[in-house]
Amino acid sequence: MDLNSLKPADGAVHKEGKRVGRGEGSGKGGTSTRGHKGAKSRSGYSKKIGFEGGQMPLQRRVPKFGFTNMNRKEYTGINLGKLQELVDKGTVKNEVTLETLIENGLAHKNDLVKILGDGELKASLKVSVHKFTASAKAAIESAGGEAISL
């Protein structure tokens, strides 16, 4: 090792960037690397989200249609087949409530639940949820169960 081979460890020395706007002699005077005129050359410039250089932005070009009902109620659908699976596993004996559906991961705490008629229900169950389709209600009652709307 010689004195001429000594150097700081990698990453130990951080070279500052060239100072702009400090006279023509620096090579970065005048426009300070921002070019001439235009929004980007001004102080305080920040591009708005979706700005396309004055071209009509995509979000305004695309046609908008329809209407969103703010009072719409979104129901989580659970088929009769899923209820039969719970009975087959042994997690449900004779009563299905919102709490049992939440415990078994079929619904969330604040969900509105609707029982749908897909699948076959053999067990006699007392089901109490928010809504039922006509076919689901008929299938539950034909199996000897009870469909209770909350």
Side-chain angles (χ1 to χ4, degrees):
M1 181 187 283
D2 298 320
L3 285 177
N4 64 347
S5 67
L6 289 176
K7 64 182 186 120
D10 286 338
V13 175
H14 175 68
K15 188 177 177 191
E16 294 297 328
K18 181 160 274 200
R19 294 176 73 209
V20 296
R22 292 295 179 268
E24 286 302 312
S26 69
K28 298 271 194 273
T31 58
S32 302
T33 72
R34 287 169 173 256
H36 295 279
K37 299 185 181 174
K40 284 189 193 169
S41 72
R42 317 284 184 200
S43 68
Y45 165 75
S46 65
K47 188 176 73 170
K48 304 288 184 287
I49 293 172
F51 183 68
E52 296 184 20
Q55 173 175 301
M56 185 63 68
L58 179 69
Q59 178 253 340
R60 290 183 62 196
R61 286 199 306 266
V62 174
K64 287 143 190 73
F65 57 90
F67 146 85
T68 305
N69 184 358
M70 57 190 274
N71 297 318
R72 175 179 165 80
K73 287 189 175 146
E74 195 73 45
Y75 287 90
T76 300
I78 297 173
N79 284 309
L80 290 174
K82 283 282 184 193
L83 297 182
Q84 185 60 46
E85 281 178 30
L86 291 178
V87 173
D88 294 342
K89 285 182 193 170
T91 53
V92 171
K93 295 286 183 250
N94 56 3
E95 190 173 1
V96 176
T97 61
L98 274 175
E99 286 73 35
T100 54
L101 294 173
I102 292 165
E103 286 166 17
N104 291 294
L106 294 175
H108 294 288
K109 186 173 63 171
N110 297 323
D111 283 354
L112 296 173
V113 176
K114 186 173 190 174
I115 302 295
L116 310 175
D118 190 31
E120 193 179 341
L121 185 67
K122 299 172 192 123
S124 170
L125 292 175
K126 181 181 178 184
V127 185
S128 54
V129 293
H130 296 102
K131 274 197 171 185
F132 297 89
T133 59
S135 60
K137 193 165 193 166
I140 290 168
E141 287 168 356
S142 68
E146 193 180 351
I148 303 165
S149 295
L150 298 177

